[in-house]
């Protein structure tokens, strides 16, 4: 997939959104519509706009709460788009027994409600791509992130539903990224590495994004995993049918004496 025309990026001024915006501009997008709740007032928004504009890409930064269906309708009535990358969302690290309804609502608002509204408002418009940023938490779980895992699994299901309707759709279940999210902190990145989850190089990430959208699978996991570390810990309590199906996740066979 090579972006063209106008590309909408939600969470477009955040770490991941800005990285995707730069890649889209370099790959051929003529206009970038970068959306966040604070718009031009978001930290780093001016720097992202100036950098992309200096490179010759037309940039619009808009304040829009994508959890508000009316706000999404107004935004897309004003701007025609050829592709969507939904990178907005927050993480709440709370054990399931302690998570509150308010925390769940906050977590689902931008990530899930935003995707649902974008899907509904753009349902009758032809798009080159409709990409949602999901997480490995929704595929094999993540400690203390039950609500976050459920939200991402919902995104994966939304994309499956779009595909059954004949619409463009790709959910990318990311592992941790370097320079963004939890892995942006050196101590957290090292803790993840010890568990077998290596922070994904951003250049590899955006390359994988393009390949995932071009492929036929609606939901794709993109993660840098040291399976020799990850598998034993993950299966220490019970076996995992998911990992059993992955050749990379199986222990190396021992040499058989002759």
């Amino acid at each position: 997939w090579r972006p063209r025309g106008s590309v909408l990026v939600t969470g477009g001024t955040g770490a991941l959104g800005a990285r995707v915006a730069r890649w889209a501009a370099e790959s051929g997008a003529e206009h970038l519509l970068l959306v966040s709740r604070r718009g031009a007032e978001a930290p780093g928004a001016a720097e992202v706009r100036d950098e992309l504009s200096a490179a010759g890409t037309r940039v619009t930064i808009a304040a829009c709460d994508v959890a508000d269906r009316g706000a999404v309708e107004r935004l897309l009535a004003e701007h025609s788009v050829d592709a969507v990358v939904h990178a907005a969302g927050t993480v709440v690290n709370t054990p399931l027994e302690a998570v509150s309804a308010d925390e769940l609502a906050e977590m689902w608002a931008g990530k899930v409600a935003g995707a649902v509204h974008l899907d509904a408002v753009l349902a009758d418009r032809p798009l080159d791509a409709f990409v949602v940023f999901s997480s490995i938490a929704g595929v094999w779980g993540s400690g203390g992130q039950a609500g976050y895992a459920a939200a991402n699994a919902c995104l994966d299901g939304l994309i499956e539903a779009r595909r059954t309707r004949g619409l463009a759709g790709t959910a990318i279940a990311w592992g941790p990224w370097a320079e963004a999210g939890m892995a942006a902190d050196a101590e957290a990145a090292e803790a993840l590495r010890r568990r077998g989850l290596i922070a994904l190089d951003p250049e590899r990430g955006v390359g994988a994004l393009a390949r995932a959208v071009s492929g036929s699978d609606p939901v794709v996991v993109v993660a840098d995993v040291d399976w020799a570390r990850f598998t034993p810990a993950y299966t220490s309590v019970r076996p995992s049918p998911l990992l059993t199906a992955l050749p990379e996740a199986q222990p190396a066979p021992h040499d058989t004496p002759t």
Side-chain angles (χ1 to χ4, degrees):
W1 175 49
R2 294 189 65 83
R4 65 173 185 89
S6 182
V7 178
L8 164 65
V9 183
T10 70
T13 58
L16 290 187
R19 174 70 66 171
V20 171
R22 293 185 187 98
W23 167 78
E26 293 166 358
S27 300
E30 299 164 1
H31 174 233
L32 289 168
L33 175 58
L34 307 182
V35 171
S36 66
R37 282 187 292 184
R38 297 178 60 184
E41 300 301 317
E47 289 79 3
V48 173
R49 179 196 59 216
D50 293 346
E51 175 188 347
L52 295 173
S53 297
T57 304
R58 185 164 62 91
V59 180
T60 302
I61 296 182
C64 176
D65 181 358
V66 293
D68 180 341
R69 169 69 179 263
V72 173
E73 290 175 342
R74 291 188 292 272
L75 176 77
L76 294 173
E78 184 177 350
H79 299 280
S80 176
V81 298
D82 298 293
V84 171
V85 179
H86 180 51
T90 58
V91 181
V92 177
N93 293 301
T94 307
L96 178 61
E97 66 272 15
V99 71
S100 70
D102 288 343
E103 283 179 322
L104 285 174
E106 178 184 358
M107 193 183 326
W108 281 61
K111 180 174 281 287
V112 178
V116 168
H117 296 330
L118 289 165
D119 169 55
V121 175
L122 291 169
D124 60 348
R125 303 190 200 183
L127 295 173
D128 296 336
F130 185 99
V131 186
V132 299
F133 277 21
S134 177
S135 169
I136 56 173
V139 177
W140 59 59
S142 184
Q145 295 184 347
Y148 182 68
N152 284 290
C154 185
L155 288 187
D156 298 344
L158 175 70
I159 293 302
E160 296 272 11
R162 280 185 63 87
R163 287 290 191 95
T164 64
R165 288 150 51 203
L167 302 175
T170 305
I172 304 180
W174 295 108
W177 279 58
E179 304 175 16
M182 289 178 62
D185 176 80
E187 185 176 339
E190 175 59 20
L192 289 168
R193 188 194 66 78
R194 289 196 299 269
R195 289 158 49 195
L197 293 172
I198 302 163
L200 186 66
D201 176 74
E203 291 304 315
R204 294 183 68 191
V206 294
L209 165 65
R211 293 193 298 275
V213 175
S214 300
S216 60
D217 293 322
V219 182
V220 180
V221 173
V222 178
D224 193 350
V225 184
D226 179 351
W227 293 110
R229 286 178 178 266
F230 183 82
T231 304
Y234 188 78
T235 58
S236 61
V237 176
R238 59 185 179 275
S240 166
L242 173 66
L243 298 190
T244 301
L246 291 176
E248 298 89 344
Q250 302 310 305
H254 296 292
D255 292 335
T256 303
T258 57

